[in-house]
Amino acid sequence: NIETCIHLHNTSDNLFWDVEHLDIIESHVDDSIYTLKSTKNMLEEKDKFLKASVAITLFDNLIMQKVGQDTEKLASAWNGIRLGQINPNIFLEDISIMNLRLSKIVDLFGSERVPFYGPECGLKGFPSYDCALEYLQIISKSHM
């Protein structure tokens, strides 16, 4: 009665659909698996489920969402965080964004095929333990 799950960084290779005892698939927030109508068919046909990734966890990407794609601004933000001049929590995504992502995924695939949700990956790259904990608390409060 143990369910198996795999975290994929890219789902363009469909090999995982044919793994008999693989139950739950998860990927990154922006992976196409969460938007393709063919995913719903495959979930049902192969009797698999999705873990909805609702929160971006690459901290550079979180910063760039706020400051843009400029690498100098990214470096400046990291420098400010390291010097204690910038609170890293200002870069955390808002719960409303997570709720929207979750809602879209559940609306497309049905709650019966999306038993879990959470961050897309681990939080090792976060600037501090406290910042990572704050993000996990925000994520755990998200809902539809």
Side-chain angles (χ1 to χ4, degrees), residues 69-82:
Q69 299 297 312
D70 186 331
T71 56
E72 287 183 30
K73 289 181 180 178
L74 175 64
S76 178
W78 271 112
N79 191 43
I81 291 169
R82 286 189 195 98

Side-chain angles (χ1 to χ4, degrees), residues 21-57:
H21 296 290
L22 175 62
D23 303 308
I24 303 165
I25 301 150
E26 68 171 301
S27 191
H28 289 253
V29 165
D30 60 354
D31 192 280
S32 63
I33 197 167
Y34 296 117
T35 58
L36 294 173
K37 291 186 181 186
S38 61
T39 298
K40 182 175 177 80
N41 295 336
M42 292 304 287
L43 290 170
E44 292 170 0
E45 179 183 323
K46 303 293 185 173
D47 194 26
K48 297 195 184 304
F49 303 87
L50 286 177
K51 182 224 131 195
S53 293
V54 299
I56 293 172
T57 56

Side-chain angles (χ1 to χ4, degrees), residues 65-129:
Q65 283 183 344
K66 304 279 186 188
V67 303
Q69 299 297 312
D70 186 331
T71 56
E72 287 183 30
K73 289 181 180 178
L74 175 64
S76 178
W78 271 112
N79 191 43
I81 291 169
R82 286 189 195 98
L83 294 173
Q85 298 167 339
I86 297 176
N87 180 345
N89 291 2
I90 67 168
F91 299 108
L92 301 180
E93 289 185 298
D94 187 76
I95 194 168
S96 64
I97 294 169
M98 296 175 204
N99 289 341
L100 181 62
R101 286 184 185 128
L102 181 58
S103 179
K104 284 181 178 180
I105 292 168
V106 170
D107 286 349
L108 190 56
F109 304 113
S111 60
E112 66 281 354
R113 291 287 168 193
V114 188
F116 306 105
Y117 76 94
E120 62 185 2
C121 275
L123 307 176
K124 185 177 181 181
F126 273 52
S128 71
Y129 182 76

